[in-house]
Each structure stands twice: as C-alpha cells, then as structure tokens.
Amino acid sequence: MKIGIVGMPLTGKTTLFNLLTGQNKEVSTFSSKGTKNIGIAIVYDQRVDFLSSLFTPKKTTYATIEFVDIGGISPELLQKDKAEIFNLIQDVDVLLFAIRLFEDPTVAGEKDPVVQVENLICELLLRDLEVVENRLGNLKKSKKELTHDELIEEEVLEKCGQYLNDDKFLSSFEFTEDEIKRISGFSFYTLKPIIIALNLSEEQFRSNVFPRKEELNQLIKDNNIVSINICGKMEMEISQLEPEERQVFLEDLGLKKSGIERLCRVSYEHLGLITFFTVVKDEVRAWAIKKDTHAVKAAGKVHSDIERGFIRAEIARYQDLVTLGSMHTVKEKGLLKIEGKDAIIEDGDIINFRFNI
Ligand SMILES: Nc1nc2c(ncn2[C@@H]2O[C@H](COP(=O)(O)OP(=O)(O)OP(=O)(O)O)[C@@H](O)[C@H]2O)c(=O)[nH]1
Ligand SMILES: [Mg+2]
C-alpha cells in the first residue's frame, strides 16, 4: 500500500512523514516546494512475531506501507507547479491530509483547519475536472470517427464531469464495473480514500480540545473521511528515540500505540483490509488484502505465477495454531482446510498455496 501525504504549506507533512517512517528528513519554517521524500513503514503485527517464534524462519517480513511526502499545495501556486506536485502522488492508494491545528507564530501558513481541508478538497476536484475536460476535449477534436469504446468513454467522462462540477467526489458514486474499468486509467484523485491527520499541539492533544472541532467533524462525516489525532512534533521526536524509551514517552502522552500503529489500524479499517500469512521457503510473511478476496487473488498477491498455476490453498486459522501449538496438531484435528480458487480469505488465515506452472 502506498500513502501520499498532502497538505497546505507548513502543516507538518514532513514531521508526519518522519514520525511514520522513523526517518529524519529536514523540517523547516520555510516552505519546501520541490521536495519528495519516500519512506517505508512496517505494519507491526504481534501475530507475525508469534509465527516467527514458532517456525524460526531465516526471514520474517511484516507488511509495509510506503509513504510519499510532497511539497505544500496552495491556491497561490502556479498551475504548472501544482500539476508537478500532484504528479508525484498520482499512483498512491490513499491520500493522508496533514491538517495543522498547532499554533506557532514563528511558522507561517494557513491556520484555519476547515479552510485547509476545503482547500485540499477543492484542489482535488479541480485536478480531476481538468483531466476529464482535457480528455473530452481531445475526443471532441478527433478528426476520425469515434470508436464504440471511445463513445462509451465519452459518456462516462461526461457523467464524471457533472459530478465534479457539482463539487462531488467521484468516490461517492456507484459506478458499474465496466465504468470503473474505463476510468481506472485516469488515476482520479477524488476516487482515492482519504484519511485526515489532525496535527495538534501537545496541549490540544492531551485535552482533545481544539478550534473548529465540530465543523471539522461534520466535514469528515459528509465526505466519508476518517481522522486520526496526532501530536506531530512530539511524536516525531519520540519515534526517533531508542525503542525502550519510546513506550515511556508515548504513555506519558496518554498513548498505548505509536503514530504508525494507530494510522495502520485506521487505514486498514477504512480501506477494508485484512491480513493473511504465508510460511514458505523459510520465510514468515504478512500480506494485506481487501476483505472478501478470493484465494486465487490472494495467491496473485504473493506471486503472479502462483495465481496462474493455482491448484488449491491449504488454510489454517491463526487462532487454531495458537491454541494447538503446532501445524501438525492442527492437521491432526482436521482443522487444516483444503480450499479452491473461490474460497474467501479471512483475517489471520495462514495459507500454503499449492500451484503448478
Ligand atoms: N509547535 C509545533 N510545531 C510543529 C508541529 N508539527 C510541525 N511543526 C513545525 O512546523 C514547521 C513545518 O513543519 P514541516 O513538517 O516541515 O511542515 P511541512 O508541511 O512538511 O512543510 P512544507 O513541506 O514546507 O509545506 C517546522 O518548524 C515544524 O517543527 C507541531 O505539532 N507543533
Ligand atoms: Mg515538508
């Protein structure tokens, strides 16, 4: 999964990036127009640790999330610069809005959180509308007669244009499967799920009291967004401490879990993701997939060859393994299921794919 961190200038995007990835990129009181930071965060999962202690593999691989941190987006930017910034996050699966609530007179930038959210929403709508209009313009200009496919594409894009002109996200509409296929190549931003990180000062974070809370909650609800509170600066500093020290400082902030663990939980829930595990070739590994995925598609996540040559999936439940203590006993008790292509994968399934190519 790939998450793009977007926000207006100086809202704490790079601070958030650092706290999520444990990196130490420069944060400054000057706007950093041209940046692009990329980092990987591990999706910590205690079940992986258990499997690893049981199977003692050579390698243990947690699921990961890739983060992209970009320069701030503001109405004052030139169209060309905006387009450049947006291009950097065209292929992300999720948009993470960094919304600033902390107050600091030495840091310039938009202070009103509602204005920040509305601004970003507006930019996303404009971007998508521009893509729609460009493509429609090209189709209309075409000297050749439009093919059957192009005519359908035109129709779908006109529908998209109407939604966007009404200030509505494309994600709020029920497209048919065929329509989704036809527009998937455009990487529309308003089709991407959004998570908001409210970047609070320590005091706001501790009290959970901050300006425009009601209006923010309404905006979040109206646009099918979820939000998470962070205490950017403080949490970034904590994430850079030695692991033993981290927990003490987090608990002092009233937190059980780190920023990345909280964000993972929220994003897995919001995106409807679950985890399955594989134990092969001396590697224990966690994989994230959408709920209700079929076994053959889960196989494809591991390797396209396994999907192509899929024979069956042998599935054990994580909880059964914990209770019984070994794969051997799970099998003995008849709890190892042999499933075909269409079996629905559940959270915590430990899968051995049988395939032939
Ligand atoms: N007081 C306070 N300052 C913060 C917090 N988060 C970020 N800052 C400060 O705000 C300034 C900008 O932070 P960055 O993380 O660089 O912000 P950004 O959104 O990446 O900025 P650009 O990339 O320039 O748009 C820095 O001086 C940070 O130290 C916070 O939670 N509290
Ligand atoms: Mg930055």
Side-chain angles (χ1 to χ4, degrees):
M1 180 166 49
K2 199 165 171 182
I3 300 186
I5 305 175
V6 293
M8 294 188 71
L10 299 167
T11 54
K13 293 179 295 301
T14 305
T15 303
L16 181 59
F17 172 86
N18 283 343
L19 92 85
L20 295 171
T21 61
Q23 293 200 25
N24 195 6
K25 296 288 179 204
E26 188 187 5
V27 296
S28 71
T29 50
F30 303 103
S31 187
S32 64
K33 262 189 209 141
T35 43
K36 182 189 181 184
N37 299 316
I38 296 182
I40 301 279
I42 284 170
V43 179
Y44 178 71
D45 188 332
Q46 160 182 332
R47 295 172 298 181
V48 175
D49 294 344
F50 172 79
L51 292 175
S52 191
S53 68
L54 189 68
F55 294 105
T56 56
K58 286 205 185 93
K59 197 172 161 199
T60 300
T61 312
Y62 296 87
T64 54
I65 300 181
E66 185 177 347
F67 288 95
V68 187
D69 166 39
I70 52 171
I73 297 164
S74 70
E76 292 84 48
L77 278 181
L78 295 173
Q79 285 305 324
K80 174 173 102 351
D81 293 337
K82 257 190 230 173
E84 239 169 63
I85 292 183
F86 269 104
N87 278 343
L88 299 174
I89 49 155
Q90 201 176 25
D91 64 338
V92 301
D93 307 300
V94 182
L95 298 170
L96 178 62
F97 283 10
I99 301 301
R100 161 181 176 179
L101 281 122
F102 70 86
E103 283 155 20
D104 185 338
T106 63
V107 182
E110 176 58 56
K111 308 233 161 31
D112 186 327
V114 174
V115 172
Q116 292 172 50
V117 177
E118 285 174 345
N119 242 307
L120 293 177
I121 287 179
C122 177
E123 294 292 347
L124 299 178
L125 289 165
L126 280 175
R127 260 320 81 203
D128 283 355
L129 194 57
E130 198 180 295
V131 171
V132 167
E133 284 175 350
N134 280 345
R135 178 66 184 149
L136 281 176
N138 285 339
L139 287 172
K140 289 208 162 49
K141 269 193 294 194
S142 168
K143 299 231 167 37
K144 285 183 277 170
E145 199 177 323
L146 296 186
T147 63
H148 174 69
D149 276 341
E150 284 171 335
L151 284 169
I152 298 179
E153 186 186 337
E154 190 175 34
E155 201 179 306
V156 182
L157 286 177
E158 265 161 10
K159 203 155 108 187
C160 291
Q162 278 166 18
Y163 300 158
L164 295 164
N165 268 316
D166 284 343
D167 291 346
K168 293 192 176 122
F169 280 4
L170 295 178
S171 59
S172 62
F173 285 88
E174 304 240 338
F175 290 102
T176 63
E177 238 172 74
D178 181 61
E179 286 172 330
I180 292 271
K181 246 188 245 158
R182 287 176 195 275
I183 59 172
S184 64
F186 294 105
S187 313
F188 287 126
Y189 293 100
T190 67
L191 270 182
K192 296 183 195 289
I194 297 173
I195 298 172
I196 288 186
L198 299 172
N199 189 9
L200 307 172
S201 70
E202 193 178 334
E203 196 191 328
Q204 293 167 333
F205 190 85
R206 286 185 193 276
S207 63
N208 199 15
V209 176
F210 47 86
R212 310 206 65 180
K213 193 172 169 180
E214 294 294 310
E215 294 101 315
L216 274 173
N217 284 341
Q218 197 58 45
L219 252 179
I220 286 168
K221 216 168 109 202
D222 291 348
N223 291 291
N224 185 30
I225 297 174
V226 287
S227 77
I228 157 177
N229 288 358
I230 59 151
C231 184
K233 203 170 170 181
M234 185 92 179
E235 287 195 75
M236 179 183 91
E237 284 160 12
I238 295 175
S239 76
Q240 287 160 357
L241 294 172
E242 294 301 318
E244 316 79 70
E245 284 179 313
R246 270 183 228 154
Q247 204 54 33
V248 180
F249 281 89
L250 278 177
E251 273 167 25
D252 178 60
L253 256 184
L255 289 171
K256 287 204 180 69
K257 297 197 181 300
S258 66
I260 183 65
E261 288 176 89
R262 276 151 36 231
L263 181 74
C264 281
R265 196 180 51 76
V266 168
S267 45
Y268 271 50
E269 265 169 31
H270 191 45
L271 304 180
L273 295 176
I274 55 164
T275 307
F276 74 88
F277 307 102
T278 52
V279 185
V280 282
K281 283 203 200 128
D282 252 359
E283 184 188 25
V284 163
R285 183 160 178 170
W287 307 85
I289 45 162
K290 286 253 181 207
K291 259 182 214 145
D292 299 327
T293 298
H294 292 261
V296 65
K297 285 287 158 207
K301 175 100 196 165
V302 178
H303 202 289
S304 55
D305 283 350
I306 308 183
E307 179 176 353
R308 216 156 26 91
F310 184 97
I311 301 171
R312 62 174 190 268
E314 298 168 357
I315 305 180
R317 286 270 152 80
Y318 175 78
Q319 210 43 54
D320 290 339
L321 184 62
V322 172
T323 314
L324 298 171
S326 79
M327 238 2 166
H328 183 75
T329 324
V330 169
K331 224 183 248 177
E332 227 173 48
K333 300 259 176 198
L335 292 172
L336 188 76
K337 294 175 297 169
I338 310 294
E339 300 279 10
K341 286 185 176 179
D342 292 337
I344 301 285
I345 301 304
E346 313 249 353
D347 187 50
D349 280 351
I350 303 161
I351 313 179
N352 182 19
F353 292 109
R354 296 284 180 181
F355 66 107
N356 185 11
I357 46 162

